[in-house]
Amino acid sequence: MENLKLKDFLDYKFISNLEISPNGAKTGFIVHKADYDNNNYQSNIWLLDNTTKEYSKLTGLNEERSFLWLNDSTILFPATRDKKINEKVSQGETWTSYYAIKINGGEAEKYMDIPLTVTAIKAIDEDNFLLTAKYDNYRTDINSLTGEERAEAVKKFQENKDYEVLDEIPFWSNGGGFTNKKRNRIYLYNRAEKKATPVTSELMAVTYFSYKDGKILYVGNEYEGKMEQREGIYCYDIASGKTETLLPKKDFRVSFAEFIGDTVICSLNDCKEYGLNQNPSFYTLKDGEAVLLKKHDTWMLNTVGSDCKYGGGKGYRVVDNKLYFPTTVNKDAFLNSIDLEGNETVLTKANGTVDVYDVHNGKIVFAGLRGLRLQEIYDVVGEEEVQLTKFNENVYNDKKLAFLEKCNFINDAGMEIEGWVLKPTDYEEGKTYPAILDIHGGPKTVYGEVFYHEMQVWANMGYFVFFCNPRGGDGRGNAFADIRGKYGTVDYDDLMKFTDIVLEKYPIKADRVGVTGGSYGGFMTNWIIGHTDRFRCAASQRSIANWISKFGTTDIGYYFNADQNASSPWVEHDKLWWHSPMKYADKVKTPTLFIHSEEDYRCWLAEGIQMFTSLKYHGVEARLCMFRGENHELSRSGKPKHRVRRLEEMTNWFEKYLKD
């Protein structure tokens, strides 16, 4: 077996958008692979035969990133293959082209051109579609113009690329660019008439939608000036063209809403006990009121971290009068179901993650991470899982991998904290080694016992790698996750005690230990270097330096900071500064590398620059590597060359300071 290398992730296969055909015979899914030379990802549709379990590639142009089943034998997918349409888009028109391909073979053929930038789509029948699309309140509809009027509009469109005019917050979003007065809007599209009919208003931002028997159920937030963190639930009747408010936008954050029969089931968070990050509970709606179905103390999401996923899929599904959903418990993400009696069932038993899934006539198929295996597709048969694919089996069989060792401990509050250690893959008794503490983001996410490329690379290079789930993380209920107003205190205590225990238990050179983390982990890295000099070096990624500047510059700052810090710049201003790592930058002695993306609007570039400048001002060795064209997701879905450079920068930094 050979050592796992830094660039080996370029050969990994990532699975997303898993959907079973209407008749249950086939499962479609997307397989992605990094293309280093072209600095993008090759994405193609694959099919799994649910009877024979054989699987094969359906498309081959490497740009099919999503799809939907039109019927049992035909798949639709968006693509940019039409030069004329592409030219129109370059001139400011909005179009999304869909192609149809038969699953039994043949070339894909143009099916329809929708005059919108589609974000999600569902087929009602072969001519009628329900979709969401981007709507810009300040954009001129160039699609409908001709002659001189069109020429003038195209000229204005090109000129306006030099400007951004802001009059609301948030005005940008991570991964979405500038979003001022832009909304995700619902439309009905008729293919025969080539007509798109808007369902929601110009200022309604739709966050979730579903369809049943001529009715569109959706979650939306209508706002102007400032978006508040509350949503309403609405139902649009296609036949009458009327919208009914089922739950007013007032008291709740709403994750989703679905029909089970004639009943609406939804997840709601009233934010009263634990703020914005409070775990939502299941409700049904009756006469404009929310009726509690079952209180929940876990998030209805897969929050187990890994740098080996790409793309997504549908999170909530209603099948046979049950709602299916993922949820994170401790270190694992499971698939669960719940019925209208509040009976909840855990459907997957094995540790790891359920990343994407579908259900048909009681049959469950999912893609996820299991142990040190990268993503594969599995059948759920009773309480057993059967692995169906072997896209990444060579990594498991041919590469040296470090196996996780449990290293749980009891913190100062008497809580058991989960932790793990990876030994160097070529570990020898009697030798001592350098080590790296890796801190997860969120903070409401978790580390699990799954494959993490960067950690495996470092273990293969002769490092101990250790990580844990300190207070503030997901999977253990609201009280454990609630660190509002405590950032850098109880979580810091957990991380430092964990470090003490690991150094005591393992043959690690105490003066050759580094620390890294991204997002919240970047905040903690910045915080740590201002409160201890026990780490020889640090790599701070997409970090937070100053809660005051983050409040006014980031896509979530004005509400997330106020909630998580229990203060604002005008209420307990000093508290925001007290929790800011920049306040303690004059105490830093640790050489620190900063990794930041130019278009990271979640933890904006200014955060990294402030901390970098502070260290340089005080004579501390520091380096900042800024990535153009990337956002907060650099380490997970950034361009391949950028992901390589990021990991090279970090690894070289550790090699410089941690190796003799």
Side-chain angles (χ1 to χ4, degrees), residues 15 18 27 48-55 347-350 363-368 370 373-390 393:
I15 301 169
L18 189 149
T27 297
L48 168 71
D49 187 298
N50 292 331
T51 301
T52 67
K53 310 305 181 186
E54 296 178 351
Y55 53 98
L347 301 167
T348 56
K349 308 295 184 181
K363 176 184 178 61
I364 299 171
V365 182
F366 75 90
R370 290 289 181 262
R373 279 186 164 84
L374 288 156
Q375 282 183 322
E376 301 292 354
I377 296 178
Y378 297 82
D379 252 342
V380 178
V381 182
E383 295 197 359
E384 300 296 322
E385 297 176 1
V386 179
Q387 183 177 335
L388 301 179
T389 62
K390 294 185 177 181
E393 201 71 3

Side-chain angles (χ1 to χ4, degrees), residues 76 91 107 122 141 174 213 288 373 445 570 625:
L76 294 185
Q91 294 174 356
E107 293 294 325
K122 180 178 180 61
D141 183 13
N174 185 67
D213 298 336
R373 279 186 164 84
T445 65
W570 307 276
C625 184

